[in-house]
Amino acid sequence: MFGFAKTQMVAPEKALPGRDEPMPVPSRHEVLGTPLTPPYPDHAEIADFALGCFWGAERKFWQTDGVITTAAGYQGGHTPNPTYEEVCSGQTGHTEAVRVVYDPARVSYETLLKVFWESHDPTQGMRQGNDVGTQYRSAIFTHSEAQQAQAEASRAAYQQTLTAAGYPEITTELTKAPPFYFAEPYHQQYLSDTKNPNGYCGLGGTGLTCPVGVAPAE
């Protein structure tokens, strides 16, 4: 019964109240050495993704050329400035999310979408592998109409690939980016060589390649 409850989205009026104070986080990225929090460079753009446990997800993106900084956080729910324990309870509605700040002159949003799709199984609903709960659901939180259109086009293209391989429908949530709340300091760059190079990573992709450069449908 407890497991069932953790896979059901909590109603806003029943969500935990949270707090006004944001989580203090390190000033610099453990791997990239860049600022973890704003202000970011003027030319930078932001992308937000949720694809299961944020430890392995964040590493996927900081290893991508053209990414300026990354951060683990909570997004898509109702509770302001939640703690990890609150998110894991299923009573906040948040995902474990990754904020990706990138240089669009060096890496395209489409390439980041490719990393996203290929790094997890987006057909699993409220889970990712052995990790079960609403916080592990797949989601893309967009910051512009252009990102929304590209995300929708890539989802449609990848669905064709998945369907041909016998996978069910994609369950990825795709919506305008809600507030992003930074996770606790120990979660930031958790799988870096200086922290937990052999730490747990529950991500597992489908092994299928996601097409890039797909134009949005007319």
Side-chain angles (χ1 to χ4, degrees), residues 167-180:
Y167 281 84
E169 290 295 307
I170 288 173
T171 60
T172 301
E173 178 181 337
L174 207 172
T175 186
K176 182 178 178 181
F180 178 90

